[in-house]
Amino acid sequence: MPNDHRKTARRPLALVLAATGCCAVLAGCGAAPDPAAPPSGKGPERSATRSDPQPSRTPSPSSAAPTAPGNRSLAGRTVVVDPGHNPGNFRHSKEINQKVNIGTNRKECDTTGTTTNDGYAEASFTLDVSHRLRDLLTARGAKVVLTHDADRPWGPCIDERARIGNEARADAVVSVHADGSAVGNRGFHVILPAPVREGAADTAKIVGPSRELGERIADRFARATGTAPANYLGNGTGLDVRDDLGGLNLSTVPKVFVECGNMRDPKDARLLASAAWRQKAAQGIADGIATYLQG
């Protein structure tokens, strides 16, 4: 979740562990994590949690609003789906804390993501929604590439995630996340790339197309899920522009991040933990991508 870092302070994994005394957990010393007290927030490229997620690698069924038989409207199109974080990241603090160049500065390779109060990990959520999204897009004829499928011990780093989309020459890239903001902060938002031109980053060609992609997803996500845009950023638009995310800064193809809800708010968390709601979330994202690609 690329949270609103301007509202909630994020801390690198090493600092969180030092402050909370959780080194024993990551070192495999047998101490049980406290799911009720993860850090207050995180970003797709910040902060850390202490949960031990157990994701399902089994593709999720596409049960809501099924695509009509024979609908191959996205044939010939390539979509890269980027499941935020990796369930194994928490075991590899040294690796994910290594900094990589994002053009404007250097940031941690990746983070562990956030959790709900009862320990449902963002990395498990994003992988599940990404599987559902892949199935829906594939049914429409699109070629879908996942940046990872929990098939590697950690990562990929944020610069590699961008590179995967670039090398695939994707027509659209969507990074799936859930936020870790304060209780009472509810709703979804879509993060768009800001104009950035520094170092290896140059978003000039993708700012416009990415905004269109983000607007389409925000509209269809609201329709499919029945949830409202975030009440804590974006002025009710469900859109947030960022220049500090390597996954966007280094992209050369249209790309957005989707924060499906706030895992730290109990009401949003109940939705995110529901398989039926996750199917609706995937449907909304898929519909948004389709309307963007079809013009």
Side-chain angles (χ1 to χ4, degrees):
M1 73 163 210
N3 196 353
D4 180 6
H5 303 320
R6 291 157 297 195
K7 292 182 180 290
T8 307
R10 314 291 176 221
R11 296 174 292 173
L13 180 62
L15 295 179
V16 172
L17 295 178
T20 59
C22 290
C23 294
V25 176
L26 292 181
C29 299
D34 177 7
S40 60
K42 66 93 202 173
E45 303 168 10
R46 295 198 189 183
S47 114
T49 55
R50 295 166 287 149
S51 62
D52 183 349
Q54 299 295 327
S56 170
R57 295 282 305 282
T58 304
S60 305
S62 300
S63 58
T67 302
N71 180 356
R72 305 285 291 177
S73 58
L74 299 184
R77 300 299 192 120
T78 298
V79 178
V80 170
V81 176
D82 177 28
H85 315 287
N86 182 319
N89 277 358
F90 79 101
R91 297 188 187 94
H92 295 272
S93 58
K94 180 179 179 181
E95 290 87 349
I96 67 172
N97 278 333
Q98 294 293 319
K99 292 189 176 182
V100 298
N101 195 319
I102 67 166
T104 54
N105 54 52
R106 296 180 67 82
K107 291 181 67 174
E108 290 77 11
C109 157
D110 201 3
T111 65
T112 62
T114 191
T115 69
T116 62
N117 289 335
D118 60 3
Y120 180 42
E122 181 187 5
S124 296
F125 169 83
T126 64
L127 194 62
D128 180 86
V129 173
S130 294
H131 283 161
R132 296 169 187 271
L133 177 57
R134 174 197 59 195
D135 293 348
L136 290 167
L137 293 171
T138 300
R140 298 185 186 191
K143 174 185 177 181
V144 178
V145 177
L146 294 180
T147 59
H148 77 93
D149 197 8
D151 49 357
R152 52 191 293 169
W154 55 274
C157 293
I158 54 181
D159 56 342
E160 183 181 353
R161 289 172 186 265
R163 187 162 59 249
I164 291 170
N166 297 343
E167 292 178 352
R169 297 183 179 181
D171 296 292
V173 183
V174 174
S175 188
V176 180
H177 286 269
D179 210 349
S181 189
V183 174
N185 289 348
R186 297 197 61 195
F188 72 90
H189 66 278
V190 182
I191 302 177
L192 315 176
V196 173
R197 188 173 185 180
E198 187 173 346
D202 186 354
T203 62
K205 293 182 179 179
I206 70 164
V207 167
S210 296
R211 172 168 283 276
E212 183 180 352
L213 171 63
E215 290 174 345
R216 298 295 182 94
I217 290 176
D219 174 67
R220 296 301 174 128
F221 192 93
R223 295 190 196 186
T225 64
T227 54
N231 62 7
Y232 56 102
L233 49 73
N235 295 318
T237 65
L239 303 174
D240 188 30
V241 178
R242 298 275 295 275
D243 63 4
D244 62 327
L245 300 178
L248 296 181
N249 287 359
L250 300 176
S251 184
T252 59
V253 294
K255 182 174 182 177
V256 300
F257 284 66
V258 181
E259 293 282 0
C260 297
N262 177 18
M263 297 195 102
R264 307 300 293 160
D265 177 83
K267 292 180 180 179
D268 267 14
R270 282 194 292 272
L271 296 176
L272 298 167
S274 164
W277 190 90
R278 293 196 299 272
Q279 184 65 34
K280 293 177 182 179
Q283 187 72 57
I285 297 171
D287 290 346
I289 293 171
T291 57
Y292 166 75
L293 293 179
Q294 292 166 7

